[in-house]
Amino acid sequence: MATKRPDADRSADTHEHLATCPLCEATCGVRVKVQGGQITRIEGDRDDPFSQGYICPKAAALADLQTDPDRLTHPLRRTKGGWAKVSWDAALDEAADRLHGLREAHGRDAVAVYLGNPNVHNLGSMLFVPGLVRALGTKRRYSATSVDQLPHMLAAQTMFGHGLLMPVPDLDRCDLLLVFGANPVVSNGSIMTAPFVRKRLQAIAQRGQVHVFDPRRTETAQVATAHHAIRPGTDALALLALLHVVFAEGAPKLGHLADGAAHLDRLQAWAADFPPERVASATGVPADTLRALARRLLETPRAAVYGRMGACTQAFGGVTAMLLYALNAVTGHLDTPGGLMFAEPAVAAVHPPFGRPGAARNRFGRWHSRVRGLPEFFGELPVATLAEDILDPGDDATRGLVLWAGNPVLSCPNGRRLDEALTGLDFMVAVDLYRTETNRHAHLLLPAAPPLSRDHYDLAFNLLAVRNHAKFAPAVLPAPDETRQDWQIAHGLQRRLEARAGASLAQRAATAALGRLGPRGVLDLALRAGPYGARTGLKGLALGRLKANPHGVDLGALRPCLRRRMAKGWPGVDLCPDAFADEHARLSAALDAPAEGLVLIGRRLLRSNNSWLHNSPRLLKGKDRCTVLIHPEDAAARGIEEGAAVEIESRVGRVQAPAELSTEVMPGVVSLPHGFGHDREGVSWTVAAAHPGRSVNDLTDDQRVDPLSGNAALNGTPVTVRLAGASGDHDRS
Ligand SMILES: Nc1nc2c(c(=O)[nH]1)N[C@H]1C(S)=C(S)[C@@H](COP(=O)(O)OP(=O)(O)OC[C@H]3O[C@@H](n4cnc5c(=O)[nH]c(N)nc54)[C@H](O)[C@@H]3O)O[C@H]1N2
Ligand SMILES: Nc1nc2c(c(=O)[nH]1)N[C@H]1C(S)=C(S)[C@@H](COP(=O)(O)OP(=O)(O)OC[C@H]3O[C@@H](n4cnc5c(=O)[nH]c(N)nc54)[C@H](O)[C@@H]3O)O[C@H]1N2
Ligand code: SF4
Ligand SMILES: [Mo]
């Protein structure tokens, strides 16, 4: 079998292509067998030096995405009589006219943009959508960042000098791993690109220990050495207690970080106020456990403390992310092998040509959201403010939206309110593979090419990988139907907007030149300019070298880099930045007034990917997994039995789903997966609509954010739970 270019596959020949699965952060290498233009098999690529043959069940759905009859095939325009096909030129011209018209009439900020998660898994989007966003010139930029990793980015920016410098656990060399609010065995790892993470965790548990802090005894907790049930939203208190013991045991072990470290005194003063005994009842974690773990952390040369979604999409997300990094730093586990380390990818936004030392400082609070005044971060506003900035009347209301690869009606808090807000927009254009719960409100729908029809190089996740590596995979199949690559759509729209806005000739020439380069050309230049580009021995990394090594190029284990960075003008580590100064008081107040009643958390399912992939029959088969997990004691107190329909109610909404009784969740906590709720009219995914589930984000509250960072507090939503149909009085929790 030969490796072939996409357009050569129309014949009955069989070809095997090497690709990268772009569905999650693990970036697994796959072999795709194509026969007569059809995918006949997808399997792991054993020769990929990073993923070594591992794939999860979702990889098979890549084939379904190419052939799904429900996928969008043509640009569509909403008319009174329904959706009508239009040509690409007509669609792009109309989008540019309408967006430009709104800006002329109401100012640049009248048009908002929302960028969903798949953009960061898409080379063309990463390189070309920012140009479009610049051309729009709006301050109302939103993305999935503020329902996700914003706290990690805020901590990284204020502690290390750039929001993208997020350290990752050096999994393969660490002997002790503390995990706060992450479930990598199901999620396949996040801010920790590590294919076959289960095996890597099991190896740590064998040579050392893995401790999982989670309100639910997750699939990850089950492969760990120990599970510590923790009350949602109390991680910062547990981390302060660990820091308390660390400082009480003697001098912090800053090692090479001591040079240029700032605010150690502030961190120490905070920790002094939170001994383990003081936080035990609020967190649910016994003081002895915290003391013993802090000591073990100090004694173990190769250890890391890692936290993810559960730690950051909560009311104390920002300070929790900061404390996680600080705990690693003062125990000698930051920027050291086996600890939290920084990846050094072949192309990164923090290196030339895309970035320079210090270029991203002060990207916080430069402007604020219209109604609630929440701060900008990294050029974006918190998406929890999107709906109100449309709905609240006024000359400066949001009137237009560019929606790219996102489904915020299902993925953002108080989805019902956003759903309603979108119906009032003057104009919305959306780029997607499907007609979704969100983009059904668009005026124009532009169909993007499915994943295996585009080139892949991972710009985002090489920056977060547990090993440095680089791989380029050309598209396997041509773009089907009339779909176009995201980058082509973005570029087409950018050019048209620049023409209408009378952009300078220089700007228009630059845009045209970028389009001629395309993603491959830009990638090649970026690789050449990157840190491995000019190196001898590696012969200088450029696109040609990656093409000649289609399984990928291993660039070695992570290396300590902060000293080298400082020599180039980067700041030292700030252990408790000024941005967090008020958080001590907020944490103390929370400790003194613990929350009462049931709280809701989310959960991820192995065969699901946020709000999509639910249209793949092979992934969705089996029993309904969109259930409410509830502890048997909490269920008994409400007369709820296994499988009974229960109603969950929060400040913003009410949802019914079947109960699943389990001691997996701690008492006082209920869990519903996110990404479901395909019961809304007008979507194109028929398989998903037949197994709709309910949206957890009809319960999460857009007013519950981490007030520091603006990140949505998706976890820890106060709820009441009752048998469906029961009166609310006797079973309020
Ligand atoms: N309650 C709760 N809410 C959550 C979470 C949670 O844990 N709990 N998790 C949050 C997290 S971490 C995230 S990242 C967000 C995700 O939130 P979003 O990014 O808003 O939503 P997704 O569900 O990822 O939807 C992606 C959309 O992009 C489309 N798509 C897929 N690939 C492409 C492509 O290549 N090009 C284009 N143009 N479109 C494409 C899909 O069809 C789908 O409609 O959800 C967040 N919401
Ligand atoms: N199969 C699958 N894989 C995915 C995705 C998917 O939807 N499905 N989504 C992808 C995306 S976009 C992302 S961002 C990653 C996320 O990857 P992870 O962060 O690893 O995944 P989650 O399942 O959200 O893990 C969060 C954990 O936090 C716990 N938790 C909730 N509240 C708290 C709290 O207050 N404190 C603590 N300590 N724990 C808490 C939850 O019980 C849950 O186990 O997964 C990615 N991978
Ligand atoms: S783990 Fe992630 S990257 Fe690997 S096959 Fe599964 S979805 Fe794809
Ligand atoms: Mo995410």
Side-chain angles (χ1 to χ4, degrees), residues 467-490:
R467 220 182 143 81
N468 293 316
H469 75 125
K471 176 177 164 183
F472 175 77
V476 172
L477 291 165
D481 316 305
E482 292 209 8
T483 62
R484 280 192 184 173
Q485 308 267 345
D486 287 272
W487 77 268
Q488 295 171 312
I489 307 170

Side-chain angles (χ1 to χ4, degrees), residues 25 117 144 147-149 190 308-309 604 610:
E25 300 182 33
N117 165 281
V147 280
D148 191 347
Q149 82 288 355
S190 183
R308 227 1 229 118
M309 277 295 284
R604 286 184 150 71
N610 297 324

Side-chain angles (χ1 to χ4, degrees), residues 123 129 197 216 243 278 383 446 508 537 557 559 685 702:
L123 173 68
V129 173
V197 68
R216 181 166 81 85
L243 282 161
R278 194 173 166 221
V383 71
L446 308 179
R508 288 160 71 175
R559 297 181 309 156
W685 31 42
D702 53 329

Side-chain angles (χ1 to χ4, degrees), residues 381-410:
L381 288 168
V383 71
T385 66
L386 172 59
E388 68 198 18
D389 286 359
I390 300 171
L391 286 169
D392 199 60
D395 289 345
D396 57 348
T398 300
R399 294 161 197 274
L401 180 65
V402 177
L403 170 68
W404 213 289
N407 194 2
V409 163
L410 296 193

Side-chain angles (χ1 to χ4, degrees), residues 50 119 154 207 227 235 240 336-337 537 561 596 631 648 669 699:
F50 194 38
N119 285 300
L154 178 62
R207 63 179 183 261
H227 168 234
D235 301 79
L240 280 165
T336 53
C561 65
E596 303 260 314
H631 191 276
I648 317 182
V669 176
L699 295 166

